[in-house]
Every structure is written in C-alpha cells, then in structure tokens.
Coordinates of all heavy atoms in Angstrom, one line a residue:
M1 N 39.0 31.9 0.9 CA 37.8 32.5 1.4 C 37.8 34.0 1.2 O 38.7 34.6 1.7 CB 37.6 32.0 2.8 CG 36.4 32.6 3.5 SD 36.4 32.0 5.2 CE 34.8 32.3 5.6
E2 N 36.8 34.5 0.6 CA 36.8 36.0 0.3 C 36.0 36.6 1.5 O 35.0 36.2 1.9 CB 36.0 36.2 -1.0 CG 36.1 37.6 -1.4 CD 35.4 37.8 -2.8 OE1 35.5 36.9 -3.6 OE2 34.8 38.9 -2.9
T3 N 36.6 37.7 2.0 CA 36.0 38.4 3.1 C 35.5 39.8 2.5 O 36.2 40.4 1.7 CB 36.9 38.7 4.3 OG1 38.0 39.4 3.8 CG2 37.3 37.4 4.9
D4 N 34.4 40.2 2.9 CA 33.8 41.5 2.5 C 33.7 42.4 3.8 O 33.0 42.1 4.7 CB 32.4 41.2 2.0 CG 31.8 42.5 1.4 OD1 32.5 43.5 1.4 OD2 30.6 42.5 1.0
M5 N 34.5 43.5 3.7 CA 34.5 44.4 4.9 C 33.2 44.9 5.2 O 32.8 45.1 6.4 CB 35.5 45.5 4.6 CG 36.9 45.1 4.5 SD 37.6 44.5 6.0 CE 37.9 46.0 6.9
T6 N 32.3 45.2 4.2 CA 31.0 45.8 4.5 C 30.1 44.7 5.1 O 29.1 45.1 5.7 CB 30.4 46.4 3.2 OG1 30.3 45.3 2.2 CG2 31.2 47.5 2.7
A7 N 30.3 43.5 4.9 CA 29.4 42.4 5.4 C 29.5 42.4 6.9 O 28.6 42.1 7.6 CB 29.8 41.1 4.8
S8 N 30.7 42.8 7.5 CA 30.9 42.7 8.9 C 30.3 44.0 9.6 O 30.1 44.0 10.8 CB 32.3 42.6 9.3 OG 33.0 43.7 8.8
K9 N 30.0 45.0 8.8 CA 29.4 46.3 9.3 C 27.9 46.1 9.4 O 27.3 45.7 8.4 CB 29.8 47.5 8.5 CG 31.2 48.0 8.7 CD 31.4 49.3 8.0 CE 32.6 49.9 8.5 NZ 32.8 51.3 8.0
H10 N 27.3 46.5 10.5 CA 25.9 46.4 10.6 C 25.4 47.8 10.9 O 26.0 48.6 11.6 CB 25.5 45.5 11.8 CG 25.9 44.1 11.6 ND1 25.3 43.3 10.7 CD2 26.9 43.4 12.1 CE1 25.9 42.1 10.8 NE2 26.9 42.1 11.6
E11 N 24.3 48.2 10.2 CA 23.6 49.4 10.5 C 22.6 49.2 11.6 O 21.7 48.3 11.5 CB 22.9 49.9 9.2 CG 23.9 50.3 8.1 CD 24.8 51.5 8.4 OE1 24.3 52.4 9.1 OE2 25.9 51.5 8.0
H12 N 22.6 49.9 12.6 CA 21.7 49.8 13.7 C 20.8 51.0 13.8 O 21.3 52.1 13.6 CB 22.4 49.7 15.1 CG 23.4 48.5 15.1 ND1 22.9 47.2 15.2 CD2 24.7 48.4 15.1 CE1 23.9 46.4 15.2 NE2 25.0 47.1 15.1
T13 N 19.5 50.8 14.0 CA 18.6 51.9 14.0 C 18.7 52.7 15.3 O 19.3 52.2 16.2 CB 17.1 51.3 13.9 OG1 16.9 50.6 15.1 CG2 16.9 50.5 12.7
A14 N 18.2 53.9 15.2 CA 18.2 54.8 16.4 C 17.5 54.1 17.5 O 17.9 54.2 18.7 CB 17.6 56.1 16.0
E15 N 16.4 53.4 17.2 CA 15.6 52.7 18.3 C 16.4 51.6 19.0 O 16.4 51.5 20.2 CB 14.3 52.1 17.7 CG 13.3 53.2 17.2 CD 13.7 53.8 15.8 OE1 14.4 53.1 15.1 OE2 13.1 54.8 15.5
F16 N 17.2 50.9 18.2 CA 18.0 49.8 18.7 C 19.1 50.4 19.6 O 19.3 49.9 20.7 CB 18.7 49.1 17.6 CG 19.6 47.9 18.0 CD1 19.0 46.7 18.3 CD2 20.9 48.1 18.1 CE1 19.8 45.6 18.7 CE2 21.7 47.0 18.6 CZ 21.2 45.8 18.8
K17 N 19.7 51.5 19.2 CA 20.8 52.2 20.0 C 20.2 52.7 21.3 O 20.8 52.5 22.4 CB 21.4 53.3 19.2 CG 22.2 52.8 18.0 CD 22.7 54.0 17.2 CE 23.4 53.6 15.9 NZ 23.9 54.7 15.2
E18 N 19.0 53.3 21.2 CA 18.4 53.9 22.4 C 18.0 52.8 23.4 O 18.2 53.0 24.6 CB 17.1 54.7 22.0 CG 17.4 56.0 21.3 CD 16.3 56.6 20.6 OE1 15.1 56.1 20.7 OE2 16.4 57.7 20.0
E19 N 17.5 51.7 22.8 CA 17.2 50.5 23.7 C 18.4 50.0 24.4 O 18.4 49.7 25.6 CB 16.5 49.4 22.9 CG 16.0 48.3 23.7 CD 15.0 48.6 24.8 OE1 14.4 49.6 24.8 OE2 14.8 47.7 25.7
A20 N 19.5 49.9 23.7 CA 20.7 49.4 24.3 C 21.2 50.3 25.4 O 21.6 49.8 26.5 CB 21.8 49.2 23.2
V21 N 21.2 51.6 25.2 CA 21.6 52.6 26.2 C 20.6 52.5 27.4 O 21.0 52.5 28.5 CB 21.6 54.0 25.6 CG1 21.8 55.0 26.7 CG2 22.8 54.1 24.6
R22 N 19.3 52.4 27.1 CA 18.3 52.3 28.2 C 18.6 51.1 29.1 O 18.5 51.1 30.3 CB 16.9 52.2 27.6 CG 15.8 52.3 28.7 CD 14.5 52.0 28.2 NE 14.4 50.6 27.7 CZ 14.3 49.5 28.5 NH1 14.3 49.7 29.8 NH2 14.1 48.3 28.0
L23 N 18.9 49.9 28.4 CA 19.3 48.7 29.2 C 20.5 49.0 30.1 O 20.5 48.5 31.2 CB 19.5 47.6 28.2 CG 18.3 47.0 27.5 CD1 18.7 46.0 26.4 CD2 17.3 46.3 28.5
V24 N 21.5 49.6 29.6 CA 22.7 49.9 30.4 C 22.3 50.8 31.6 O 22.8 50.6 32.7 CB 23.8 50.6 29.5 CG1 24.9 51.0 30.4 CG2 24.3 49.6 28.5
I25 N 21.5 51.8 31.3 CA 21.2 52.8 32.4 C 20.3 52.2 33.4 O 20.5 52.4 34.6 CB 20.6 54.1 31.7 CG1 21.6 54.8 30.9 CG2 20.0 55.0 32.8 CD1 21.1 55.9 30.0
T26 N 19.3 51.4 33.0 CA 18.3 51.0 33.9 C 18.6 49.6 34.6 O 18.1 49.3 35.6 CB 16.9 50.8 33.3 OG1 17.0 49.9 32.2 CG2 16.4 52.1 32.7
S27 N 19.5 48.9 34.0 CA 19.9 47.6 34.6 C 21.2 47.7 35.4 O 21.9 48.7 35.4 CB 20.0 46.5 33.5 OG 21.2 46.7 32.8
Q28 N 21.5 46.7 36.2 CA 22.7 46.7 36.9 C 23.8 46.0 36.1 O 24.9 45.7 36.6 CB 22.5 45.9 38.2 CG 21.5 46.5 39.1 CD 21.9 47.9 39.6 OE1 23.1 48.2 39.9 NE2 21.0 48.8 39.7
K29 N 23.6 45.8 34.8 CA 24.6 45.1 34.0 C 25.5 46.1 33.3 O 25.2 47.3 33.1 CB 23.9 44.4 32.9 CG 23.0 43.2 33.4 CD 22.3 42.5 32.3 CE 21.5 41.4 32.9 NZ 20.8 40.6 31.9
S30 N 26.7 45.6 33.0 CA 27.7 46.5 32.3 C 27.4 46.6 30.8 O 26.6 45.8 30.3 CB 29.1 45.9 32.5 OG 29.2 44.7 31.8
C31 N 28.1 47.5 30.2 CA 28.0 47.7 28.7 C 28.4 46.4 28.0 O 27.8 46.0 27.0 CB 28.9 48.8 28.2 SG 28.3 50.4 28.7
A32 N 29.4 45.7 28.5 CA 29.9 44.4 27.9 C 28.8 43.4 28.0 O 28.6 42.6 27.1 CB 31.2 44.0 28.6
E33 N 28.1 43.3 29.2 CA 27.1 42.3 29.3 C 25.9 42.6 28.4 O 25.4 41.6 27.8 CB 26.6 42.3 30.8 CG 27.6 41.7 31.8 CD 27.0 41.8 33.2 OE1 27.1 42.9 33.7 OE2 26.6 40.7 33.7
I34 N 25.5 43.8 28.3 CA 24.4 44.2 27.4 C 24.8 43.9 26.0 O 24.0 43.3 25.2 CB 24.0 45.7 27.6 CG1 23.6 46.0 29.0 CG2 23.0 46.1 26.6 CD1 22.3 45.3 29.4
A35 N 26.0 44.2 25.6 CA 26.5 44.0 24.2 C 26.5 42.5 23.9 O 26.0 42.1 22.8 CB 27.9 44.6 24.0
R36 N 26.9 41.7 24.9 CA 27.0 40.3 24.7 C 25.5 39.7 24.4 O 25.3 38.9 23.6 CB 27.7 39.6 25.8 CG 27.9 38.1 25.7 CD 28.8 37.5 26.7 NE 28.6 38.0 28.1 CZ 29.4 38.8 28.7 NH1 30.5 39.2 28.2 NH2 29.1 39.2 30.0
N37 N 24.6 40.2 25.3 CA 23.2 39.8 25.1 C 22.6 40.2 23.8 O 21.7 39.5 23.2 CB 22.4 40.3 26.3 CG 22.7 39.7 27.6 OD1 23.3 38.6 27.7 ND2 22.3 40.4 28.7
L38 N 23.0 41.3 23.3 CA 22.5 41.8 22.0 C 23.3 41.3 20.8 O 22.9 41.5 19.6 CB 22.5 43.4 22.0 CG 21.6 44.1 23.0 CD1 21.9 45.6 23.0 CD2 20.2 43.8 22.7
G39 N 24.4 40.6 21.1 CA 25.2 40.1 20.0 C 26.0 41.1 19.2 O 26.2 41.0 18.0
I40 N 26.4 42.2 19.9 CA 27.2 43.2 19.2 C 28.5 43.5 20.0 O 28.6 43.1 21.2 CB 26.4 44.5 19.1 CG1 26.0 45.0 20.5 CG2 25.2 44.4 18.2 CD1 25.3 46.4 20.5
P41 N 29.5 44.1 19.4 CA 30.8 44.4 20.1 C 30.5 45.4 21.2 O 29.7 46.3 21.1 CB 31.7 45.0 19.0 CG 31.0 44.6 17.7 CD 29.6 44.4 18.0
P42 N 31.2 45.2 22.4 CA 31.0 46.1 23.5 C 31.3 47.6 23.2 O 30.7 48.5 23.8 CB 31.9 45.5 24.6 CG 32.1 44.1 24.2 CD 32.0 44.1 22.7
Y43 N 32.3 47.8 22.4 CA 32.7 49.2 22.1 C 31.5 50.0 21.5 O 31.4 51.2 21.7 CB 33.9 49.3 21.2 CG 33.6 49.0 19.7 CD1 33.2 50.0 18.8 CD2 33.8 47.7 19.3 CE1 33.0 49.7 17.5 CE2 33.6 47.4 17.9 CZ 33.2 48.4 17.1 OH 32.9 48.1 15.7
L44 N 30.6 49.3 20.8 CA 29.4 50.1 20.3 C 28.5 50.6 21.4 O 28.1 51.7 21.4 CB 28.6 49.1 19.3 CG 29.2 48.8 18.0 CD1 28.4 47.9 17.2 CD2 29.5 50.1 17.2
V45 N 28.3 49.7 22.3 CA 27.4 50.1 23.4 C 28.0 51.3 24.2 O 27.4 52.2 24.6 CB 27.0 48.9 24.4 CG1 26.2 49.4 25.5 CG2 26.3 47.9 23.6
V46 N 29.3 51.2 24.5 CA 30.1 52.2 25.2 C 30.0 53.5 24.4 O 29.7 54.6 25.0 CB 31.5 51.8 25.4 CG1 32.3 53.0 25.9 CG2 31.6 50.6 26.3
R47 N 30.2 53.5 23.1 CA 30.1 54.7 22.2 C 28.7 55.3 22.3 O 28.6 56.5 22.4 CB 30.5 54.3 20.8 CG 30.5 55.6 19.9 CD 30.7 55.3 18.4 NE 31.9 54.4 18.2 CZ 32.0 53.6 17.2 NH1 31.1 53.6 16.2 NH2 33.1 52.9 17.0
W48 N 27.7 54.4 22.1 CA 26.3 54.9 22.1 C 26.0 55.6 23.5 O 25.3 56.6 23.5 CB 25.3 53.8 21.8 CG 25.5 53.2 20.5 CD1 26.2 53.8 19.4 CD2 25.1 51.9 20.0 NE1 26.1 52.9 18.3 CE2 25.5 51.8 18.7 CE3 24.4 50.9 20.6 CZ2 25.2 50.6 17.9 CZ3 24.2 49.7 19.9 CH2 24.5 49.6 18.6
K49 N 26.4 55.0 24.6 CA 26.2 55.5 25.9 C 26.9 56.9 26.0 O 26.3 57.9 26.5 CB 26.7 54.6 27.0 CG 26.3 55.0 28.4 CD 26.7 54.0 29.4 CE 26.3 54.4 30.8 NZ 27.3 55.2 31.5
Q50 N 28.1 57.0 25.5 CA 28.8 58.3 25.6 C 28.0 59.4 24.7 O 27.9 60.5 25.1 CB 30.2 58.2 25.1 CG 31.1 57.4 26.0 CD 32.5 57.1 25.4 OE1 32.6 57.1 24.2 NE2 33.4 56.7 26.2
Q51 N 27.6 59.0 23.5 CA 26.8 59.9 22.7 C 25.5 60.3 23.4 O 25.2 61.5 23.3 CB 26.4 59.2 21.3 CG 27.6 59.1 20.4 CD 27.1 58.4 19.1 OE1 26.3 57.5 19.1 NE2 27.7 58.8 18.0
H52 N 24.9 59.4 24.0 CA 23.7 59.7 24.7 C 23.9 60.7 25.8 O 23.1 61.7 26.0 CB 23.1 58.4 25.3 CG 21.9 58.6 26.2 ND1 20.6 58.8 25.7 CD2 21.8 58.7 27.6 CE1 19.8 59.0 26.7 NE2 20.5 58.9 27.8
E53 N 25.0 60.5 26.6 CA 25.3 61.5 27.7 C 25.7 62.8 27.1 O 25.2 63.9 27.6 CB 26.4 60.9 28.5 CG 25.9 59.7 29.3 CD 27.1 58.9 29.9 OE1 28.3 59.2 29.6 OE2 26.8 58.0 30.7
Q54 N 26.5 62.9 26.1 CA 27.0 64.2 25.6 C 25.9 64.9 24.9 O 25.7 66.1 25.2 CB 28.2 63.9 24.6 CG 29.4 63.4 25.3 CD 30.5 62.9 24.3 OE1 30.2 62.8 23.1 NE2 31.7 62.6 24.8
K55 N 25.3 64.3 24.0 CA 24.3 65.0 23.2 C 23.0 65.3 24.0 O 22.3 66.3 23.8 CB 23.9 64.3 21.9 CG 25.1 64.3 21.0 CD 24.8 63.6 19.7 CE 26.1 63.6 18.8 NZ 25.9 62.9 17.5
G56 N 22.7 64.4 24.9 CA 21.5 64.6 25.7 C 21.7 65.8 26.6 O 20.8 66.6 26.9
A57 N 22.9 66.0 27.1 CA 23.2 67.1 28.0 C 23.1 68.4 27.2 O 22.8 69.5 27.8 CB 24.6 67.0 28.6
A58 N 23.3 68.4 25.9 CA 23.3 69.6 25.1 C 21.9 69.8 24.5 O 21.6 70.8 23.8 CB 24.3 69.4 23.9
G59 N 20.9 68.9 24.9 CA 19.5 69.1 24.4 C 19.4 68.7 22.9 O 18.5 69.2 22.3
R60 N 20.2 67.8 22.4 CA 20.1 67.4 21.0 C 19.7 66.0 21.0 O 19.9 65.2 21.9 CB 21.5 67.6 20.4 CG 22.0 69.0 20.3 CD 23.3 69.1 19.7 NE 23.6 70.5 19.6 CZ 24.6 71.0 18.8 NH1 25.4 70.1 18.2 NH2 24.8 72.3 18.8
P61 N 19.2 65.6 19.8 CA 18.8 64.2 19.6 C 20.1 63.3 19.7 O 21.1 63.7 19.1 CB 18.2 64.1 18.2 CG 18.0 65.5 17.8 CD 18.8 66.4 18.7
Q62 N 20.1 62.2 20.3 CA 21.3 61.4 20.4 C 21.6 60.6 19.2 O 22.8 60.6 18.8 CB 21.1 60.4 21.6 CG 21.2 61.0 23.0 CD 19.9 61.6 23.4 OE1 18.8 61.2 22.9 NE2 19.9 62.6 24.2
F63 N 20.7 60.0 18.5 CA 21.0 59.1 17.4 C 20.1 59.6 16.2 O 18.9 59.4 16.2 CB 20.7 57.7 17.7 CG 21.4 57.2 19.0 CD1 20.6 57.0 20.1 CD2 22.7 57.1 19.1 CE1 21.3 56.6 21.3 CE2 23.4 56.7 20.2 CZ 22.6 56.4 21.3
T64 N 20.8 60.2 15.2 CA 20.0 60.8 14.1 C 20.1 60.0 12.8 O 19.4 60.2 11.9 CB 20.4 62.2 13.9 OG1 21.8 62.2 13.6 CG2 20.1 63.1 15.0
G65 N 21.1 59.1 12.7 CA 21.3 58.4 11.5 C 22.5 59.0 10.7 O 23.0 60.0 11.0
R66 N 22.9 58.2 9.7 CA 24.1 58.6 8.9 C 23.9 59.9 8.2 O 23.0 60.1 7.4 CB 24.3 57.4 7.9 CG 25.5 57.7 7.0 CD 25.8 56.5 6.2 NE 26.8 55.8 6.9 CZ 27.3 54.6 6.6 NH1 26.8 54.0 5.5 NH2 28.2 54.0 7.3
G67 N 24.8 60.8 8.4 CA 24.8 62.1 7.7 C 23.8 63.1 8.1 O 23.7 64.1 7.5
V68 N 23.1 62.9 9.1 CA 22.1 63.8 9.6 C 22.6 64.5 10.8 O 23.0 63.9 11.8 CB 20.7 63.1 10.0 CG1 19.7 64.1 10.5 CG2 20.2 62.4 8.7
A69 N 22.7 65.8 10.7 CA 23.2 66.6 11.9 C 22.3 66.5 13.1 O 21.1 66.5 12.9 CB 23.4 68.0 11.4
A70 N 22.9 66.4 14.2 CA 22.1 66.4 15.4 C 21.9 67.8 15.9 O 22.7 68.4 16.5 CB 22.8 65.6 16.5
L71 N 20.7 68.4 15.5 CA 20.4 69.8 15.8 C 19.4 69.8 16.9 O 18.5 69.0 17.0 CB 19.9 70.5 14.6 CG 20.7 70.5 13.4 CD1 20.0 71.2 12.2 CD2 22.0 71.3 13.6
S72 N 19.5 70.8 17.8 CA 18.5 71.1 18.8 C 17.3 71.6 18.0 O 17.3 72.0 16.9 CB 19.0 72.1 19.8 OG 19.1 73.4 19.2
E73 N 16.2 71.7 18.7 CA 14.9 72.2 18.1 C 15.1 73.6 17.6 O 14.7 73.9 16.5 CB 13.8 72.1 19.1 CG 12.4 72.2 18.6 CD 11.4 71.9 19.6 OE1 11.5 71.0 20.4 OE2 10.4 72.8 19.7
Q74 N 15.8 74.5 18.4 CA 16.0 75.8 18.0 C 16.9 75.9 16.8 O 16.7 76.7 15.9 CB 16.6 76.7 19.1 CG 15.6 76.9 20.3 CD 15.7 75.7 21.3 OE1 16.5 74.8 21.1 NE2 14.8 75.8 22.3
E75 N 18.0 75.1 16.7 CA 18.9 75.1 15.6 C 18.2 74.6 14.3 O 18.4 75.2 13.3 CB 20.1 74.2 15.9 CG 21.0 74.7 17.0 CD 22.0 73.7 17.4 OE1 21.7 72.5 17.5 OE2 23.2 74.2 17.7
A76 N 17.3 73.6 14.4 CA 16.6 73.1 13.3 C 15.7 74.2 12.7 O 15.5 74.4 11.5 CB 15.8 71.9 13.6
R77 N 15.0 74.9 13.7 CA 14.1 76.0 13.2 C 14.8 77.1 12.6 O 14.4 77.6 11.6 CB 13.3 76.5 14.5 CG 12.3 77.6 14.1 CD 11.2 77.8 15.2 NE 10.5 79.0 15.0 CZ 9.6 79.3 14.1 NH1 9.4 78.4 13.1 NH2 9.0 80.4 14.0
F78 N 15.9 77.5 13.2 CA 16.8 78.6 12.6 C 17.2 78.2 11.2 O 17.2 79.0 10.3 CB 18.0 78.8 13.5 CG 18.9 79.9 13.0 CD1 18.4 81.3 13.2 CD2 20.1 79.7 12.5 CE1 19.3 82.3 12.7 CE2 20.9 80.7 12.0 CZ 20.5 82.0 12.2
K79 N 17.7 76.9 11.0 CA 18.1 76.5 9.7 C 17.0 76.5 8.7 O 17.2 76.9 7.5 CB 18.7 75.0 9.8 CG 19.4 74.5 8.6 CD 20.0 73.2 8.9 CE 20.7 72.7 7.7 NZ 21.5 71.5 7.9
K80 N 15.8 76.1 9.1 CA 14.7 76.1 8.2 C 14.3 77.6 7.8 O 14.1 77.8 6.6 CB 13.5 75.5 8.9 CG 12.2 75.5 8.1 CD 11.1 74.8 8.8 CE 9.8 74.9 7.9 NZ 8.7 75.5 8.6
L81 N 14.3 78.5 8.8 CA 14.0 79.9 8.5 C 15.1 80.5 7.5 O 14.8 81.3 6.7 CB 13.9 80.7 9.8 CG 12.7 80.4 10.6 CD1 12.8 81.0 12.0 CD2 11.4 80.7 9.9
E82 N 16.4 80.2 7.7 CA 17.4 80.6 6.9 C 17.2 80.2 5.4 O 17.3 80.9 4.5 CB 18.8 80.2 7.3 CG 19.4 80.9 8.5 CD 20.8 80.5 8.8 OE1 21.0 79.2 8.8 OE2 21.6 81.3 9.1
R83 N 16.8 78.9 5.3 CA 16.5 78.4 3.9 C 15.3 79.1 3.3 O 15.4 79.4 2.1 CB 16.3 76.9 4.0 CG 16.0 76.2 2.7 CD 17.2 76.2 1.8 NE 16.9 75.7 0.5 CZ 17.2 76.3 -0.6 NH1 18.0 77.3 -0.6 NH2 16.9 75.7 -1.8
E84 N 14.3 79.3 4.1 CA 13.1 80.0 3.6 C 13.5 81.4 3.1 O 13.0 81.9 2.1 CB 12.0 80.0 4.6 CG 11.3 78.7 4.8 CD 10.3 78.7 5.9 OE1 9.9 79.8 6.4 OE2 9.7 77.7 6.2
L85 N 14.3 82.1 3.9 CA 14.7 83.4 3.6 C 15.5 83.4 2.3 O 15.3 84.3 1.4 CB 15.6 84.0 4.7 CG 16.1 85.4 4.5 CD1 15.0 86.4 4.2 CD2 17.0 85.8 5.6
E86 N 16.4 82.5 2.1 CA 17.2 82.4 0.9 C 16.3 82.2 -0.4 O 16.5 82.8 -1.4 CB 18.2 81.2 1.0 CG 19.0 81.0 -0.3 CD 19.9 82.2 -0.7 OE1 20.2 83.0 0.2 OE2 20.1 82.4 -1.9
I87 N 15.3 81.3 -0.2 CA 14.3 81.1 -1.3 C 13.6 82.3 -1.6 O 13.4 82.7 -2.8 CB 13.4 79.9 -1.0 CG1 14.1 78.6 -1.0 CG2 12.2 79.8 -1.9 CD1 13.4 77.4 -0.4
T88 N 13.1 83.1 -0.6 CA 12.4 84.3 -0.8 C 13.2 85.3 -1.5 O 12.8 86.0 -2.4 CB 11.9 84.9 0.5 OG1 11.1 83.9 1.2 CG2 11.1 86.1 0.4
R89 N 14.5 85.4 -1.2 CA 15.4 86.4 -1.8 C 15.6 86.0 -3.3 O 15.6 86.9 -4.2 CB 16.8 86.4 -1.1 CG 16.8 87.1 0.2 CD 18.1 87.1 0.8 NE 18.1 87.9 2.1 CZ 19.0 87.8 3.0 NH1 19.9 86.9 3.0 NH2 18.9 88.5 4.1
Q90 N 15.7 84.7 -3.6 CA 15.9 84.3 -5.0 C 14.6 84.6 -5.8 O 14.7 85.1 -6.9 CB 16.2 82.8 -5.0 CG 17.5 82.4 -4.5 CD 17.8 80.9 -4.4 OE1 16.9 80.1 -4.7 NE2 18.9 80.5 -4.0
E91 N 13.4 84.4 -5.2 CA 12.2 84.7 -5.9 C 12.1 86.2 -6.1 O 11.7 86.6 -7.2 CB 11.0 84.2 -5.0 CG 10.9 82.7 -5.0 CD 9.8 82.2 -4.0 OE1 9.4 83.0 -3.1 OE2 9.4 81.0 -4.1
R92 N 12.5 87.0 -5.2 CA 12.5 88.5 -5.3 C 13.4 88.9 -6.5 O 13.0 89.7 -7.3 CB 12.9 89.1 -4.0 CG 12.9 90.7 -4.1 CD 13.8 91.3 -3.1 NE 15.2 90.9 -3.3 CZ 16.1 90.9 -2.4 NH1 15.9 91.3 -1.2 NH2 17.4 90.5 -2.6
D93 N 14.6 88.3 -6.5 CA 15.5 88.6 -7.6 C 15.0 88.3 -8.9 O 15.2 89.0 -9.9 CB 16.9 88.0 -7.3 CG 17.6 88.5 -6.1 OD1 17.2 89.6 -5.6 OD2 18.6 87.8 -5.6
I94 N 14.3 87.1 -9.0 CA 13.7 86.7 -10.3 C 12.7 87.7 -10.7 O 12.6 88.1 -11.9 CB 13.2 85.3 -10.2 CG1 14.4 84.3 -10.1 CG2 12.3 85.0 -11.4 CD1 13.9 82.9 -9.8
L95 N 11.8 88.1 -9.8 CA 10.7 89.0 -10.1 C 11.3 90.4 -10.5 O 10.7 91.1 -11.3 CB 9.8 89.2 -8.9 CG 8.9 88.0 -8.6 CD1 8.1 88.1 -7.3 CD2 7.9 87.7 -9.8
D96 N 12.4 90.8 -9.8 CA 13.0 92.1 -10.2 C 13.5 92.1 -11.6 O 13.4 93.1 -12.4 CB 14.2 92.4 -9.2 CG 13.7 92.9 -7.9 OD1 12.5 93.3 -7.8 OD2 14.5 93.0 -7.0
R97 N 14.1 91.0 -12.1 CA 14.6 90.8 -13.4 C 13.5 90.8 -14.5 O 13.6 91.3 -15.6 CB 15.4 89.6 -13.6 CG 16.8 89.8 -13.0 CD 17.7 88.6 -13.2 NE 17.9 87.9 -11.9 CZ 18.1 86.7 -11.7 NH1 18.0 85.8 -12.7 NH2 18.3 86.2 -10.5
V98 N 12.3 90.2 -14.1 CA 11.2 90.1 -15.0 C 10.5 91.5 -15.2 O 10.0 91.8 -16.3 CB 10.2 89.0 -14.5 CG1 9.0 89.0 -15.4 CG2 10.9 87.7 -14.5
S99 N 10.4 92.3 -14.2 CA 9.7 93.5 -14.2 C 10.5 94.6 -14.9 O 11.5 94.8 -15.0 CB 9.3 94.1 -12.9 OG 9.3 93.2 -11.9

C-alpha cells in the first residue's frame, strides 16, 4: 500500500481556523474536544489558539495563509508606500536617462 505524505496534510482556511478558536474560547470545551468534533488533530487547535493569542495581542491578523506575512495595518501601509517610492525613483531615473 502506497502512502502519500501530502494526502494526509490538509489546508484549512483562515475562517475554519478562526471558527475553531472561537469555539474553544466561547465554549466550556477543551481544545481536544473541539478538535475531535471537527475531525482534526488536537495539536492544530492548540497551535491556532496560541497564534490567535500572540498575534491578536500584537494587533496583527491571526491567520493570513501560506507565505503571507502577518502585518499590522500600519506595517502594510508602510510597505505599500515604500514600494510606491521605489517605483517612483525608478521612473525618475528612466526619465533622467531619456532627457
């Protein structure tokens, strides 16, 4: 019997994770009970709850998805402005060469 390591991995949406954490916070049930009801390993619910607590305290989005940095609103705006400035500098340099 051939086993596929990726078949056992499941991608969970941010909404699913948030709902699982909300259930843990608002109910009198443990992470293990919530995980069992959702059909997922308990360590995932524990990890998501920890992320929620840590990133929530820092004012950042808790669950952003694979490869997406969890930036606060100010950090995201700063990053966007830095990128716009870089593009403007590149445009200026091109215009300087043309003139």
Side-chain angles (χ1 to χ4, degrees):
M1 177 183 197
E2 186 177 325
T3 60
D4 185 6
M5 293 294 282
T6 58
S8 64
K9 283 190 167 187
H10 298 284
E11 296 292 327
H12 300 287
T13 64
E15 293 81 17
F16 181 84
K17 294 174 184 179
E18 289 167 1
E19 180 64 16
V21 171
R22 187 190 65 75
L23 288 170
V24 171
I25 292 171
T26 60
S27 72
Q28 298 297 321
K29 296 181 180 179
S30 67
C31 290
E33 289 176 285
I34 298 296
R36 187 171 38 256
N37 291 340
L38 295 173
I40 58 175
Y43 74 89
L44 288 177
V45 177
V46 171
R47 182 186 312 156
W48 297 339
K49 185 172 182 273
Q50 289 170 344
Q51 286 178 325
H52 174 79
E53 291 167 352
Q54 292 169 350
K55 292 182 180 176
R60 297 178 175 193
Q62 286 81 24
F63 308 110
T64 57
R66 178 174 266 175
V68 178
L71 301 176
S72 69
E73 198 173 309
Q74 292 86 4
E75 290 170 324
R77 180 161 168 67
F78 182 74
K79 188 173 181 177
K80 179 181 179 234
L81 290 171
E82 281 184 321
R83 180 67 186 136
E84 287 177 7
L85 178 60
E86 179 60 28
I87 290 169
T88 303
R89 285 179 176 159
Q90 290 173 358
E91 290 171 345
R92 180 203 61 203
D93 292 346
I94 291 169
L95 288 173
D96 283 346
R97 283 186 246 147
V98 173
S99 339

